[in-house]
Amino acid sequence: MKKALFTLNLNPDVYKEITDMTYPLLKEYCRKIGAEFVEINTRKFPEWKSPTYEKLQVYQLAQDMGNDWNIFFDADAVVHPDMPDLTSLLSKDTVLHNGADFALLRWRYDRFFQRDGRHIGSPTWFCMASDWCIELFKPLDDLTPEQAYESIFPTVEELKLGYEPWRLIEDYVISRNIAKYGLKFKSFAEVIKEKPSITGNYLWHVYAMPIEEKVVKMQQTLKGWGLL
């Protein structure tokens, strides 16, 4: 069983204080589950405004590597050492996120969302898919960047924080892929509910926060976990 854990870091100097805390935990999780750690650190899709669109490099990288399982964590995600191996708890016909937003609040629906009807909005800081469901990470090939941006509607709070539509592009694309390809979906919360023996707080992530404030919150989290 070949597994890989991917992350995205295009500005290592800017995020060093963060990755000094998160990378050791991500790499320890890789060691625990027998996965290769892969940092995406170059741009392949410069035509897209958002650097975070580069998460979708996983689609081709995973196939080139011949992976059975592919996990993506944002570089600022904090993973507890006791985090279970989710590849042993999830069927290969199902994709996983930490949770899901109500898609109708965020995207203008096309025929794929309308046909699917599950209203799954993807928070893409944590995604997981097997080789059976690698289309989760497939880059857009049927819309231009401008067409995609026109279908994205940040919430009022996101707009206050300066989130223009293009900054949510990877969430839109992955949400649309779930609908377009009819991918079976579970959240981490659902997995925990199915397995009552899984208890505890295993993940921490906040996306809309200045780096300086985020570093403090991460340190507090690690101290709360007894890791600092």
Side-chain angles (χ1 to χ4, degrees):
M1 188 72 72
K2 189 171 184 181
K3 309 172 189 178
L5 187 153
F6 297 87
T7 195
L8 176 65
N9 187 7
L10 300 175
N11 297 290
D13 294 336
V14 173
Y15 291 101
K16 184 177 186 305
E17 197 169 3
I18 285 176
T19 57
D20 280 350
M21 288 186 281
T22 61
Y23 274 19
L25 294 171
L26 290 174
K27 290 176 180 179
E28 176 59 22
Y29 187 59
C30 286
R31 189 182 73 84
K32 181 175 186 177
I33 70 173
E36 181 177 351
F37 180 79
V38 181
E39 182 188 66
I40 298 169
N41 51 30
T42 57
R43 294 209 68 173
K44 299 291 186 183
F45 304 110
E47 67 274 21
W48 295 87
K49 290 182 181 180
S50 178
T52 53
Y53 190 85
E54 302 298 335
K55 293 178 184 181
L56 301 177
Q57 289 188 41
V58 172
Y59 177 70
Q60 192 60 53
L61 289 171
Q63 294 179 83
D64 292 344
M65 295 171 68
N67 296 334
D68 295 284
W69 282 105
N70 306 283
I71 302 169
F72 181 90
F73 277 109
D74 276 358
D76 59 351
V78 185
V79 179
H80 195 284
D82 292 341
M83 177 79 166
D85 181 358
L86 295 175
T87 68
S88 296
L89 296 173
L90 195 71
S91 170
K92 290 186 77 176
D93 66 357
T94 302
V95 302
L96 182 80
H97 293 341
N98 183 61
D101 300 320
F102 183 48
L104 195 57
L105 298 178
R106 309 176 68 81
W107 325 130
R108 178 186 294 126
Y109 279 11
D110 59 12
R111 63 191 178 93
F112 301 120
F113 284 113
Q114 291 168 343
R115 181 188 65 199
D116 184 71
R118 291 176 292 168
H119 310 293
I120 296 169
S122 300
T124 60
W125 65 270
F126 169 36
C127 304
M128 185 168 126
S130 74
D131 54 338
W132 292 6
C133 301
I134 197 58
E135 288 82 9
L136 180 72
F137 296 102
K138 188 174 182 180
L140 276 175
D141 59 6
D142 57 353
L143 295 175
T144 66
E146 290 70 26
Q147 288 172 327
Y149 302 150
E150 288 175 0
S151 295
I152 299 172
F153 300 91
T155 65
V156 171
E157 289 302 314
E158 288 169 335
L159 289 170
K160 288 179 180 178
L161 292 166
Y163 274 76
E164 298 179 58
W166 60 266
R167 292 189 63 183
L168 300 173
I169 185 60
E170 75 279 8
D171 288 1
Y172 171 74
V173 173
I174 288 181
S175 300
R176 188 171 183 264
N177 284 344
I178 290 172
K180 181 178 182 179
Y181 297 104
L183 300 175
K184 293 182 181 179
F185 173 86
K186 279 188 180 179
S187 68
F188 185 34
E190 289 174 315
V191 171
I192 290 175
K193 188 175 180 180
E194 292 171 356
K195 306 288 183 183
S197 57
I198 302 176
T199 59
N201 183 14
Y202 299 101
L203 298 170
W204 183 93
H205 180 266
V206 176
Y207 74 102
M209 184 179 289
I211 289 178
E212 297 79 9
E213 185 178 350
K214 186 175 292 190
V215 166
V216 172
K217 295 290 186 182
M218 292 171 70
Q219 290 171 339
Q220 292 172 346
T221 297
L222 292 174
K223 286 178 182 177
W225 287 354
L227 299 176
L228 274 185

